[in-house]
Amino acid sequence: MKLIVGLGNPGAKYARNRHNIGFMALDRIASDHGFAPWRSKFQGQLSEGRLGREKVMLLKPETFMNNSGQSVGEAVRFYKLDTQDVIVIHDEIDLAPGKARTKTGGGHAGHNGLRSIHAHIGDTYDRVRLGVGHPGRKELVPGYVLRDFPKADDEWLDDLLRGISDGAAHLAEGDGGRFMNAVSLRTAPPRSSTSTPKKSQSPAPQPAPTTSAPDDRSTLQKLVDRFK
């Protein structure tokens, strides 16, 4: 069994925040793959279903971002999971908007949700990092991630979430390459040839043949004209 965690903050006022892209990803997976209705459990919202061959629990912690590990740790202990069975989907300011990367283990890079999870279950779980861009200066980061995605981002955001849902079964089965390929097919689909076929060159129009006027001279006149 796999536990896929999406990070965010609970409540309608945070629903479209950049920080909540993990929640958005889980909502799309649950909707597209026919998961059970969300229910309150482990200090969060839980939904059960299957992705490919794997039984999967989707968890949205409601402890607020900075205490995400409380909810995740409770679920891990209840199901007696190894940390390798946990996948966390979260926002990543060090990736360009619309980019996605997978990662296993490592540091939390200052992300408070990951910091909390590290404290409760360790750091060897898998992550899916979803790029939301960087405001440019470190002191602007808190306000930036707690603001809504602008309408201008809707197109790439929808493509990214659809790609994650398309590849969710590969993610649950541990095939990161096929998962990333599914995401890329949505976010950067192959382009068809843009070269314009050369037009066949038509031969230059030929002048219309000239038609001689009929010769209505008499025989005598023709003879006279011949010896002029």
Side-chain angles (χ1 to χ4, degrees):
M1 189 181 78
K2 293 294 175 68
L3 175 68
I4 302 181
V5 179
L7 296 188
N9 288 308
K13 69 184 258 186
Y14 299 107
R16 272 190 56 87
N17 282 186
R18 293 180 176 96
H19 230 10
N20 272 45
I21 195 170
F23 277 16
M24 296 176 192
L26 261 57
D27 286 337
R28 178 56 60 88
I29 292 171
S31 175
D32 289 352
H33 295 273
F35 272 60
W38 295 97
R39 59 192 175 98
S40 296
K41 197 171 179 66
F42 309 127
Q43 303 179 66
Q45 291 294 310
L46 187 77
S47 180
E48 304 175 27
R50 298 194 74 86
L51 292 172
R53 299 184 297 270
E54 296 286 340
K55 181 179 180 181
V56 174
M57 301 291 178
L58 303 178
L59 177 64
K60 298 188 292 185
E62 293 189 307
T63 49
F64 286 90
M65 183 67 79
N66 292 2
N67 294 310
S68 299
Q70 293 177 13
S71 174
V72 176
E74 193 174 322
V76 167
R77 290 188 294 274
F78 181 87
Y79 292 117
K80 299 179 173 59
L81 298 174
D82 292 328
T83 52
Q84 291 87 349
D85 295 323
V86 178
I87 302 165
V88 177
I89 303 177
H90 64 91
D91 59 304
E92 177 57 76
I93 60 172
D94 291 329
L95 284 177
K99 298 295 183 183
R101 295 290 185 273
T102 57
K103 181 181 179 181
T104 299
H108 52 68
H111 192 292
N112 288 333
L114 300 184
R115 190 197 307 272
S116 177
I117 294 172
H118 277 39
H120 284 266
I121 69 168
D123 63 359
T124 56
Y125 55 91
D126 291 335
R127 306 99 186 267
V128 178
R129 305 159 60 218
L130 303 181
V132 297
H134 198 289
R137 298 202 309 271
K138 185 177 180 180
E139 65 271 20
L140 298 178
V141 168
Y144 176 78
V145 296
L146 290 173
R147 282 199 294 272
D148 287 358
F149 284 105
K151 285 290 184 184
D153 287 354
D154 281 355
E155 185 173 351
W156 70 254
L157 180 59
D158 186 62
D159 287 341
L160 179 61
L161 297 177
R162 286 179 184 275
I164 291 165
S165 179
D166 290 346
H170 302 311
L171 180 66
E173 292 169 0
D175 193 336
R178 294 181 72 182
F179 167 71
M180 286 302 303
N181 186 58
V183 174
S184 295
L185 287 174
R186 286 286 188 178
T187 59
R191 295 182 179 180
S192 57
S193 173
T194 56
S195 58
T196 305
K198 293 182 179 179
K199 294 182 180 179
S200 57
Q201 293 185 347
S202 302
Q206 299 295 321
T210 57
T211 306
S212 301
D215 192 349
D216 54 0
R217 295 172 298 165
S218 66
T219 303
L220 179 60
Q221 185 61 50
K222 289 178 182 178
L223 184 61
V224 171
D225 289 343
R226 183 178 177 186
F227 290 100
K228 277 183 177 180

